[in-house]
Every structure is written in C-alpha cells, then in structure tokens.
Amino acid sequence: VGGGKVEGRVDLVWRLHHGLGDGVVLSKCLEELCEADEAGAEKPKKDEKKTERKRKKKTNPLYFAWLSLKAVGKVLALPLSCSDAQTNLKAPMDWRKVSPEKSYSPSLTMSLPLVRSESKKRNCTINDLLTALLTRGIRRHLLLASPGVAPPSSIRCLAVVNTRRDVDMSAFRAGRGANEFSYVIPRLPTGHSTFPPCLSAVKRDMDALKSGPEAVVVREANNLVKNMAGGSFVLKFNCDYVVNKLTLFFSNLAGPREAVKLAGARVLRMYNWVEPMMYGIGVSVMSYNGEVTFVVSGGKERAEGVRKGIEEEWRELVAEAESGA
C-alpha cells in the first residue's frame, strides 16, 4: 500500500499468481473481498440477441468440426512455424535476465461509454476495437522506432483465455482449485496503413477464435502432456520455444461488472499489470467503473512508444467521430 497523489486516497498493489492467466479468479477474489458501490458506474447490459446468434453458430456441428480440425492443425504447426520478424519490440531469448528493462509500465485510460459508442458505430465488439487500437499503436511505434522500415504484415501475441464456465471459490479456499486457463495465439495485422482494414482483419480473426475450440484443444493437449513422464519438462521447453517466436503477451479481461468498495472505501480505478517475461512487451487491458485502461510493460522506450501510439490512434478516432467524418 502506498500513499496516493490525492489526499485521502491510497494505491493498493495486489499480487495474485495466475490471477490474470486464469481469466476468472482475479475477479472472483475481488468479489469475495469487496462489496457493491451503488454510486459507481452503471452495470453494463448484455446484448441477448447477439448472445443467441453466437450460441446458434457454435452449435452447428459441421461448422464446429471444421473449426476443430483447424484448431488441431494450428496447435500442431505452431512449434514448426517461423518466428515473428525481428523488430524493435521483439526481445532476444535472454532478455528477461535484464531486469531494469522490465520495470517500466505506463498506462492509458479511456472512457468505457465512449469506447462502447465507437464500437457500435463500427459494428464490432469492444474487444475488437481495443485490439485494433493496440495493433495500430504498435504500428505507429514501429514506424517511429525504425524510420524507412515497413512494419511486418502481422505480429503474433499470446493471449490467455478462460475455459471454465464458473468458479467454486470454496474449492479454491480449500486448496482444490485447479487452473483451467488456456491460451490462443492471434495475429495482429500491423501491415495495414489505415484503421478500417485493420479493424476488419482483427474482427475476422477474433470471431474465428471466439467461436472455435482452439483454447480447449490447447488446454487438453497441455493436460495430456503434463500427466506423462517428464511432461513438465516437455511443457516448459515447448513453452519457452514457442514464446520466443512471438512478440508480445496480451491480457484482455473485464474487471468486476459493478463498481465496488474495499473495506468501506470506494475503489476508483483498477489496473492490471502483466510480466513481459521473454516477450518483447506485455499489454493488459481492463475495464472497470466506466473506464478502460491499457497498461504496457517492457523497456521504457518500447513501452512508452506503444502507449503513445495507442493514445494517438484513439485521439484520431474520437476527433473523426466528433467531426462527423
């Protein structure tokens, strides 16, 4: 706990192992410790029609079988795939040994209602819009960091996802809670020179990931190997080998759906921080109490460059909307 910049406020740093990777436990732990704040932002409403359309699409057996085959093929081909192109963001294998490089984590906060409004105008989800903003921010940074060098057509990131419908907190308190998180490896289309085609490419890829079984296939493959003799060693080797091919770690999850109080005090803002590890950069996005916050972690020049790129891209989108363009 540290003193905040405003009198009467404090900053609370809470470290929870795998709280982000699991995708659910962090929010559930917060719910256990906190109480609802009636004066906070209005609780968002679900689009029931959109949810029903997604459910029907997922239950189509032929469509699901095709996606399953694609997911298995992608998982098997990943270790054999080429590494991302070496850029200003991509770190060498021993980068995590340089501890000062990992200590800088600038943040950027946006209005959630405004983000929601912009996503509706562009017929995409909030996550699609935020991922496209990240992609465009990365492109801006690469163009400034390496003048005269065209950014790669795409870069890959490791994104953690939850594959569990619910969490039994009593099991976690008793030490029986097993992580059921997995990951997917989406491509961020950094090659597009304007926002609309970038957003279209992101939306297409995100739709395929959300409706497909890739995360479940990865989870089951990891569980199968883990239970074999020497499985932990194989998993670690494979993880290090695959991770070194990628450029960034990306965590995008919602905070508590309602504003909360902790020990009777209002929680005004909430941020996530992710360890870049062997990636060149780590990016987390979290929504809470009417705000969306990006936190970019990595070497100071890289992290600040990506944060500024996202901020500039967002400022241009808002200005475009206000001008009616």
Side-chain angles (χ1 to χ4, degrees):
V1 178
K5 294 181 180 179
V6 179
E7 186 177 353
R9 299 181 184 178
V10 296
D11 299 323
L12 174 65
V13 179
W14 186 13
R15 183 168 183 172
L16 185 65
H17 184 57
H18 279 182
L20 282 181
D22 181 87
V24 169
V25 172
L26 178 63
S27 293
K28 289 294 182 181
C29 285
L30 284 170
E31 288 176 14
E32 290 277 307
L33 293 173
C34 300
E35 57 183 342
D37 179 9
E38 300 300 332
E42 182 181 357
K43 183 177 180 179
K45 298 178 181 179
K46 282 189 175 182
D47 187 336
E48 298 297 338
K49 290 184 179 180
K50 186 181 291 185
T51 302
E52 179 62 18
R53 287 197 300 270
K54 288 181 180 179
R55 188 194 66 78
K56 287 182 178 180
K57 194 172 184 181
K58 285 184 178 181
T59 53
N60 184 318
L62 292 177
Y63 181 72
F64 191 78
W66 166 240
L67 290 178
S68 298
L69 287 173
K70 285 179 63 178
V72 171
K74 186 175 179 180
V75 171
L76 293 176
L78 181 61
L80 303 177
S81 65
C82 295
S83 297
D84 281 358
Q86 188 66 45
T87 64
N88 173 269
L89 291 179
K90 196 171 183 335
M93 189 66 173
D94 61 351
W95 178 80
R96 61 177 173 176
K97 296 178 182 177
V98 188
S99 56
E101 282 278 286
K102 300 187 292 180
S103 61
Y104 195 75
S105 302
S107 63
L108 169 65
T109 299
M110 307 170 179
S111 163
L112 179 56
L114 188 53
V115 171
R116 185 180 293 115
S117 173
E118 289 300 309
S119 66
K120 285 184 178 180
K121 290 177 185 177
R122 291 169 171 76
N123 193 30
C124 66
T125 67
I126 290 176
N127 286 340
D128 292 341
L129 184 69
L130 295 175
T131 304
L133 283 171
L134 170 62
T135 304
R136 293 285 299 160
I138 288 173
R139 176 182 170 85
R140 283 175 178 263
H141 167 70
L142 291 176
L143 287 171
L144 288 174
S146 304
V149 179
S153 60
S154 66
I155 61 173
R156 291 176 297 179
C157 62
L158 186 142
V160 290
V161 294
N162 171 51
T163 56
R164 165 172 41 206
R165 291 182 179 272
D166 200 3
V167 179
D168 180 4
M169 290 304 296
S170 62
F172 275 89
R173 285 191 290 267
R176 300 193 307 274
N179 279 326
E180 291 187 23
F181 68 92
S182 186
Y183 59 85
V184 291
I185 301 181
R187 288 185 179 273
L188 303 183
T190 50
H192 295 289
S193 58
T194 57
F195 189 83
C198 174
L199 178 60
S200 297
V202 165
K203 186 176 185 299
R204 183 172 58 252
D205 291 346
M206 292 299 108
D207 285 346
L209 286 172
K210 285 182 286 189
S211 60
E214 182 177 333
V216 176
V217 170
V218 170
R219 184 196 68 194
E220 293 304 315
N222 285 341
N223 288 340
L224 179 65
V225 174
K226 183 174 65 176
N227 294 325
M228 298 169 57
S232 296
F233 172 79
V234 174
L235 281 179
K236 185 180 185 310
F237 174 82
N238 184 63
C239 180
D240 289 350
Y241 180 70
V242 169
V243 162
N244 195 46
K245 294 174 176 286
L246 312 180
T247 300
L248 66 102
F249 180 93
F250 185 34
S251 172
N252 183 359
L253 65 143
R257 290 182 62 81
E258 298 176 280
V260 296
K261 291 182 178 180
L262 178 62
R266 295 181 64 191
V267 178
L268 301 178
R269 286 185 173 177
M270 199 175 295
Y271 310 107
N272 284 329
W273 177 85
V274 295
E275 171 67 67
M277 297 187 292
M278 291 181 295
Y279 308 88
I281 203 163
V283 179
S284 72
V285 183
M286 187 173 189
S287 59
Y288 170 71
N289 197 27
E291 294 182 335
V292 177
T293 302
F294 278 88
V295 177
V296 187
S297 304
K300 184 173 183 178
E301 181 183 347
R302 291 189 288 263
E304 185 60 29
V306 172
R307 187 203 66 80
K308 285 183 177 178
I310 298 170
E311 182 179 33
E312 291 169 2
E313 194 69 29
W314 175 238
R315 191 186 301 122
E316 286 189 7
L317 284 186
V318 173
E320 178 185 318
E322 291 176 346
S323 66

